Amino acid sequence: MVGDLGDLWRAHIERAAQVSTETLKLYGLTLDRHIKPGSLAALQVREVNAGGVHDFLSGLIDQKTGAGRGSAKTARTVLRGMFELAVRNDAVKVNPVRQADRVAAPVKAVRRIEKEKKGHLAASEIDAVLTTAASPGWARRDLADLLQFLAGTGVRIGEALALTWERVDLDAGTVDIGGHTVVRVRGEGLRVEEHGSTKAFDRTITLPARLVSRLLQRRVNQGDNPLGLVFPTPAYGSRGGTTLRDVTNTSKEIRKVFEAAGVALPKGQGSHLFRHTVGTVLLQKGVPIRDVSNQLGHVATKTTTDLYASRKTVATAAAEHL
C-alpha cells in the first residue's frame, strides 16, 4: 500500500540523515496530514499512475483562493521520494510522480496572494522597529542587536541565533554564517545543526561598518557564555544569557515588537521581512543577482530572481548599501 510505502520512506530518510531536522518535520507532517489520509494511501504501489498523482495534488489546492500551493509542492516532493525508493527496490518500473503534469493554482488567486504579501520594509519602518526594540520597555528582551544584525545582513533568523563569536571577525568586518541553524528536536530540546544539504548556506558575509561597531560594543559588554553565542537567551531568568534561543519563540517576540512599533505585518510574516528588505535594497542599489544570491545564501540565483526579478540592477558592493 502507498501508506505503508510512506512509512518505509520516512524511516529510510531518517536513517540516511541527509536532510535537516526541520525538513524531516515538514515531510512527516505532509505524510500524516495529506498523503496517508488521502486518496492514494489505500492503493497498491503498482496501481498509482501519473493521472492519479495529478488529481491528488490538484485536490490539495483551493481553486478559488489558491490556498494549498505550498502543501501540494511539498506533497509532490514527498511522493517523488517515496516512488524513487519503490523503483530502486523493483516494486515499480517507473516513477509516476515524475510523469505527472504540474499542478497550477488559478492565476487570479496567485496574483491576489502575492499582492497581499508585504515585499519589504520602508526605512522609516525599520527605524521604528529598531527604536522600539532598544526602548526601556523592550531592552530586557535583548532583541535590538539581533534585529540590527538581521537588517544589516539578511540572514535567516535561525542562522543568526546559531552564530558564535568564533565565526565573527571584527577586524576584517566579516561573519562566517557556516550553514548552521537552531532547531528543536523532540526529546532533546534545542541544538545547532547544519542547515540544508548544499554549500550555498555556508558563506562569509561582509558586515556594514555600523554593524561592526555594534557587534564590537556587544562583545565587550556581553562577556562570555558557555556556547560562545552572539545572541543567546536574554540575561534574565534561571538560564538567561547562556543558552540557545528558540526560533519560534523569538520570532513571536519580534512580531510583538513590530506591533508595538506600529508596523503592520501580514499574517505569518515577521523577522523574515528583514531578509526580503535586504534582497530588495541590494537589487535596487544595483548589486548583481549573483552577489545578492550569495549574500542571502540561496541555493540558486533562480530563487533570488523569482523573488526580486522586477528590480533593476547595477554593479556595486553589497555591504555599502546595508
Side-chain angles (χ1 to χ4, degrees):
M1 298 291 187
V2 172
D4 297 327
L5 175 61
D7 292 331
L8 291 172
W9 179 76
R10 174 162 31 195
H12 169 73
I13 61 172
E14 287 176 350
R15 288 194 303 270
Q18 294 179 339
V19 297
S20 69
T21 300
E22 292 303 304
T23 301
L24 282 175
K25 287 182 182 178
L26 177 61
Y27 289 169
L29 286 172
T30 301
L31 276 168
D32 295 335
R33 292 181 179 178
H34 300 299
I35 295 176
K36 295 188 72 174
S39 58
L40 299 178
L43 297 177
Q44 295 289 338
V45 173
R46 64 179 179 274
E47 293 179 319
V48 178
N49 56 37
V53 171
H54 181 271
D55 291 344
F56 167 73
L57 295 175
S58 296
L60 298 180
I61 300 176
D62 188 313
Q63 294 303 309
K64 291 184 178 180
T65 66
R69 290 184 301 148
S71 296
K73 182 178 179 179
T74 304
R76 187 183 187 98
T77 299
V78 171
L79 285 170
R80 185 171 62 242
M82 289 166 53
F83 280 91
E84 286 294 342
L85 181 64
V87 169
R88 290 198 299 271
N89 287 275
D90 298 322
V92 291
K93 292 183 178 181
V94 296
N95 188 333
V97 185
R98 292 191 177 277
Q99 298 178 321
D101 293 334
R102 291 285 173 181
V103 177
V107 175
K108 289 184 179 180
V110 173
R111 287 176 178 170
R112 179 187 59 78
I113 292 172
E114 294 299 323
K115 186 176 181 180
E116 289 176 355
K117 289 183 178 179
K118 188 180 182 71
H120 63 280
L121 295 165
S124 59
E125 292 176 317
I126 294 177
D127 289 342
V129 171
L130 296 180
T131 300
T132 299
S135 65
W138 288 90
R140 66 191 296 266
R141 304 193 189 189
D142 192 21
L143 292 171
D145 288 347
L146 172 61
L147 294 182
Q148 286 275 6
F149 187 77
L150 296 177
T153 62
V155 303
R156 302 168 180 88
I157 186 171
E159 293 174 330
L161 298 182
L163 183 65
T164 56
W165 284 113
E166 66 180 5
R167 291 190 277 117
V168 179
D169 188 336
L170 293 174
D171 291 329
T174 60
V175 57
D176 175 18
I177 299 302
H180 296 90
T181 189
V182 176
V183 298
R184 180 175 292 279
V185 181
R186 183 178 297 177
E188 296 183 27
L190 297 174
R191 75 181 187 195
V192 174
E193 68 172 34
E194 290 188 359
H195 182 59
S197 57
T198 72
K199 294 182 179 179
F201 297 97
D202 187 358
R203 62 205 189 276
T204 299
I205 292 176
T206 299
L207 300 170
R210 71 175 185 279
L211 188 52
V212 174
S213 299
R214 183 98 183 201
L215 289 175
L216 177 59
Q217 182 180 7
R218 181 177 181 82
R219 185 73 183 97
V220 171
N221 296 334
Q222 183 187 62
D224 295 327
N225 62 77
L227 298 178
L229 297 167
V230 178
F231 304 109
T233 49
Y236 66 88
S238 60
R239 296 184 298 172
T242 63
T243 59
L244 290 165
R245 297 181 84 141
D246 180 80
V247 171
T248 301
N249 291 338
T250 304
S251 297
K252 289 179 180 178
E253 286 196 318
I254 290 174
R255 284 194 287 271
K256 291 179 181 178
V257 175
F258 272 82
E259 182 179 348
V263 177
L265 282 176
K267 183 178 179 181
Q269 294 197 44
S271 63
H272 214 66
L273 271 178
F274 286 111
R275 183 168 169 79
H276 286 306
T277 301
V278 167
T280 299
V281 168
L282 292 182
L283 285 172
Q284 287 178 340
K285 293 291 186 178
V287 178
I289 195 77
R290 168 61 68 181
D291 292 343
V292 178
S293 183
N294 291 341
Q295 176 85 16
L296 299 177
H298 286 156
V299 174
T301 55
K302 182 180 184 301
T303 304
T304 315
T305 303
D306 288 346
L307 289 171
Y308 310 112
S310 61
R311 281 72 174 181
K312 294 182 66 176
T313 62
V314 218
T316 139
E320 296 176 2
H321 302 298
L322 294 175

